[in-house]
């Protein structure tokens, strides 16, 4: 049985470029799979109530072969492409108006007994011979890889809105956590073409998760590897393949400074404010992020450091950021420097200097003279990756932004 539907791309499934986003793609696939399995009376609720089992996602690969824009019509086909003793594959294909495959997905599922939590044979959960697998329309192959977490990029707490009917973290939330590790501008310049997710465990409301990059990531080849951990156990692995190459003009030596550059670029390309980004790190984990939002917020105090401090204090639930380190693309202005000191941040690493900022028209140096300079803070403030951060100014000039 094939589920065939004709529809258009809704705005809620689109990204900043008004095209189907990765999160939106997963949502469409999940909705179609759920509806198709419902038509066959083997959906999740039937599985729980009738067979005392639950369906678990094992892995899912989505290939975004052609972009689909908001309101663009498409035809969707969803069907079971293979049935094994303990698992099944469900394929989903979206075709555009020219009948070209825009999206192809393969989702592998298995059923787990609610009482014993052991795998169930597919024949015991409704796949008893009355349902026949369809011939696969697209060739979709899973990849094998070893995911070794390298650097923690972010921490997130599972909230009530992330929970599905099995009281686990829903799969869409995991994808959202992963996609949030890149700025919107990066997604625009280098769109995702393939994403493959391998599920290794379950998490629940209130759990704190670590989003990690993994060894083997090669941005020059557009391949990124991620892992999500809970209590040092991997619950999800993910491969992302993107178009194009990263901007090699801006490549920092320090990984946290690279994150500040990504923040600054998002602000530059979005027109939010000056070419400055910041992250706050505690115990090797990024707990706060921000970029200059002066123009976007019509707020002269919305510098990147201030935004990052507010973000970190909200996430940590405290105004005391002792034990934290600030990384920022530009030496903090007097306002930000005093805010950093008030927050009890242990150390500051910066890229461009106050004098560098003056070269592109920012007035930090004047205010610094009024406050008596910062000679006493030489050990507290350390300059790193200056050359990389200076290249942000070139990007900023190209965008023809003004100063303020």
């Amino acid at each position: 049985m094939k589920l065939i539907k004709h529809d258009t791309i809704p705005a809620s499934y689109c990204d900043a470029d008004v095209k189907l986003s990765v999160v939106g793609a997963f949502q469409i696939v999940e909705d179609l799979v759920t509806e198709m399995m419902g038509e066959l009376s083997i959906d999740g609720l039937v599985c729980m109530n009738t067979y005392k089992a639950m369906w678990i996602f094992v892995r899912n690969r989505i290939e975004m072969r052609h972009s689909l824009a908001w309101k663009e019509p498409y035809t969707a086909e969803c069907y079971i492409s293979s049935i094994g003793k303990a698992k099944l594959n469900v394929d989903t294909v979206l075709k555009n108006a020219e009948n070209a495959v825009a999206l192809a997905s393969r989702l592998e599922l298995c059923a787990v007994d609610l009482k014993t939590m052991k795998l169930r044979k597919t024949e015991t959960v409704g796949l008893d011979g009355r349902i026949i697998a369809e011939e696969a329309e697209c060739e979709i192959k899973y990849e094998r890889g070893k995911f070794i977490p390298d650097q923690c990029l972010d921490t997130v707490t599972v909230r009530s809105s992330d929970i599905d009917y099995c009281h686990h973290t829903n799969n869409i939330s995991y994808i959202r956590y992963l996609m949030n590790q890149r700025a919107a501008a990066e997604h625009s310049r280098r769109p995702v073409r393939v994403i493959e997710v391998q599920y290794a465990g379950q998490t629940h409301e209130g759990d704190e998760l670590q989003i990690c990059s993994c060894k083997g990531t090669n941005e020059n080849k557009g391949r990124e590897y991620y892992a999500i951990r809970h209590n040092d156990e991997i619950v999800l692995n993910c491969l992302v393949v993107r178009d194009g190459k990263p901007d090699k003009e801006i490549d920092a030596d320090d990984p946290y400074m690279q994150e500040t550059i990504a923040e600054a670029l998002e602000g530059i390309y979005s027109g939010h404010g000056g070419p400055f980004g910041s992250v706050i790190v505690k115990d090797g984990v990024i707990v706060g992020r921000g970029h200059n939002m002066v123009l976007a917020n019509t707020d002269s105090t919305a510098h990147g450091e201030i935004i990052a401090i507010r973000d970190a204090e909200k996430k940590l639930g405290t105004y005391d950021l002792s034990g934290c380190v600030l990384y920022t693309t530009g030496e903090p202005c007097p306002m930000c420097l005093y805010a950093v000191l008030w927050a009890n941040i242990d150390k500051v690493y910066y890229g461009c200097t106050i004098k560098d900022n003056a070269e592109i028209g920012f007035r930090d140096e004047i205010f610094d003279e009024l406050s008596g300079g910062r000679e006493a803070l030489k050990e507290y403030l350390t300059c790193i990756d200056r050359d990389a951060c200076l290249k942000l100014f070139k990007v900023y000039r190209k965008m023809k932004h003004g100063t303020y």
Side-chain angles (χ1 to χ4, degrees):
M1 176 263 181
K2 276 190 178 183
L3 174 70
I4 299 176
K5 297 195 73 175
H6 304 280
D7 210 336
T8 58
I9 299 297
S12 59
Y13 288 2
C14 290
D15 57 19
D17 293 324
V18 204
K19 295 177 182 177
L20 179 65
S21 68
V22 173
V23 174
F26 272 84
Q27 188 68 69
I28 286 179
V29 168
E30 190 168 313
D31 289 347
L32 289 166
V33 171
T34 301
E35 185 174 347
M36 184 274 297
M37 294 179 73
E39 292 289 330
L40 295 173
S41 297
I42 56 169
D43 59 84
L45 291 179
V46 171
C47 190
M48 292 180 73
N49 296 330
T50 304
Y51 303 111
K52 308 306 177 186
M54 62 179 173
W55 290 111
I56 298 292
F57 286 12
V58 179
R59 50 187 174 178
N60 190 10
R61 181 180 176 93
I62 292 182
E63 300 176 0
M64 303 178 74
R65 302 181 181 184
H66 297 282
S67 62
L68 290 168
W70 172 47
K71 296 199 292 188
E72 184 172 347
Y74 67 88
T75 299
E77 297 180 4
C78 185
Y79 53 91
I80 296 174
S81 60
S82 69
I83 303 172
K85 289 184 178 181
K87 65 181 181 181
L88 71 153
N89 284 324
V90 179
D91 286 10
T92 304
V93 177
L94 269 57
K95 296 180 180 179
N96 59 23
E98 287 74 41
N99 206 37
V101 174
L103 180 150
S105 165
R106 177 160 294 165
L107 172 63
E108 182 180 308
L109 303 98
C110 66
V112 176
D113 190 274
L114 290 176
K115 187 175 182 180
T116 66
M117 297 309 292
K118 292 183 178 180
L119 286 177
R120 291 272 294 271
K121 291 183 178 180
T122 52
E123 63 184 22
T124 69
V125 288
L127 292 148
D128 51 7
R130 64 184 178 87
I131 298 173
I132 306 299
E134 304 283 342
E135 184 178 352
E137 183 173 345
C138 296
E139 184 177 359
I140 306 171
K141 293 183 178 180
Y142 298 119
E143 294 192 32
R144 295 183 180 274
K146 203 168 185 180
F147 293 79
I148 303 174
D150 184 19
Q151 178 190 345
C152 183
L153 304 174
D154 197 5
T155 57
V156 295
T157 301
V158 179
R159 303 299 185 189
S160 58
S161 59
D162 297 320
I163 300 303
D164 63 17
Y165 71 97
C166 293
H167 300 283
H168 300 149
T169 308
N170 69 64
N171 303 294
I172 303 301
S173 290
Y174 286 131
I175 302 306
R176 187 173 286 109
Y177 300 155
L178 291 165
M179 291 300 102
N180 283 343
Q181 302 314 307
R182 295 286 181 174
E186 180 77 354
H187 288 304
S188 296
R189 292 195 307 275
R190 303 178 61 223
V192 173
R193 290 307 176 205
V194 176
I195 179 167
E196 183 173 319
V197 180
Q198 301 171 4
Y199 302 91
Q202 300 292 342
T203 59
H204 306 86
E205 184 177 358
D207 286 348
E208 187 173 272
L209 310 181
Q210 291 184 320
I211 317 300
C212 305
S213 60
C214 292
K215 293 180 180 178
T217 292
N218 189 330
E219 294 197 5
N220 287 326
K221 294 183 178 179
R223 297 177 71 85
E224 303 165 8
Y225 296 91
Y226 298 96
I228 296 181
R229 296 191 301 187
H230 173 57
N231 291 338
D232 294 325
E233 295 289 331
I234 293 177
V235 296
L236 180 147
N237 292 318
C238 180
L239 163 68
V240 174
V241 181
R242 294 180 182 273
D243 266 354
K245 294 183 178 181
D247 189 346
K248 292 304 291 180
E249 286 188 318
I250 307 177
D251 193 2
D253 293 327
D254 186 280
Y256 296 121
M257 192 58 81
Q258 192 69 55
E259 292 294 322
T260 72
I261 289 172
E263 278 291 332
L265 284 170
E266 179 173 7
I268 293 170
Y269 286 113
S270 302
H272 289 164
F276 306 107
S278 303
V279 299
I280 294 174
V281 178
K282 184 173 185 179
D283 298 328
V285 177
I286 295 176
V287 296
R289 296 174 178 270
H291 57 261
N292 190 293
M293 297 284 289
V294 169
L295 300 181
N297 293 355
T298 319
D299 179 358
S300 59
T301 69
H303 290 195
E305 296 93 331
I306 302 295
I307 301 296
I309 287 171
R310 291 170 179 165
D311 186 39
E313 289 176 345
K314 183 177 180 181
K315 286 180 179 176
L316 297 177
T318 178
Y319 56 82
D320 184 359
L321 298 184
S322 297
C324 293
V325 177
L326 172 74
Y327 292 80
T328 182
T329 58
E331 188 174 359
C333 72
M335 175 187 71
C336 293
L337 179 56
Y338 291 128
V340 169
L341 292 169
W342 272 114
N344 296 322
I345 289 174
D346 289 0
K347 176 74 176 174
V348 175
Y349 292 97
Y350 65 89
C352 303
T353 67
I354 291 287
K355 290 185 177 181
D356 293 329
N357 297 343
E359 291 293 321
I360 60 168
F362 287 91
R363 301 175 290 160
D364 306 45
E365 197 170 17
I366 297 172
F367 298 127
D368 210 37
E369 291 173 359
L370 291 173
S371 62
R374 53 189 69 192
E375 188 67 22
L377 295 171
K378 286 194 299 184
E379 298 300 319
Y380 184 68
L381 301 165
T382 299
C383 181
I384 62 173
D385 280 312
R386 176 172 174 262
D387 289 343
C389 292
L390 279 172
K391 289 171 183 175
L392 286 166
F393 293 174
K394 294 182 180 179
V395 179
Y396 188 71
R397 289 190 185 102
K398 288 178 183 176
M399 299 294 290
K400 297 182 179 178
H401 291 306
T403 56
Y404 42 85

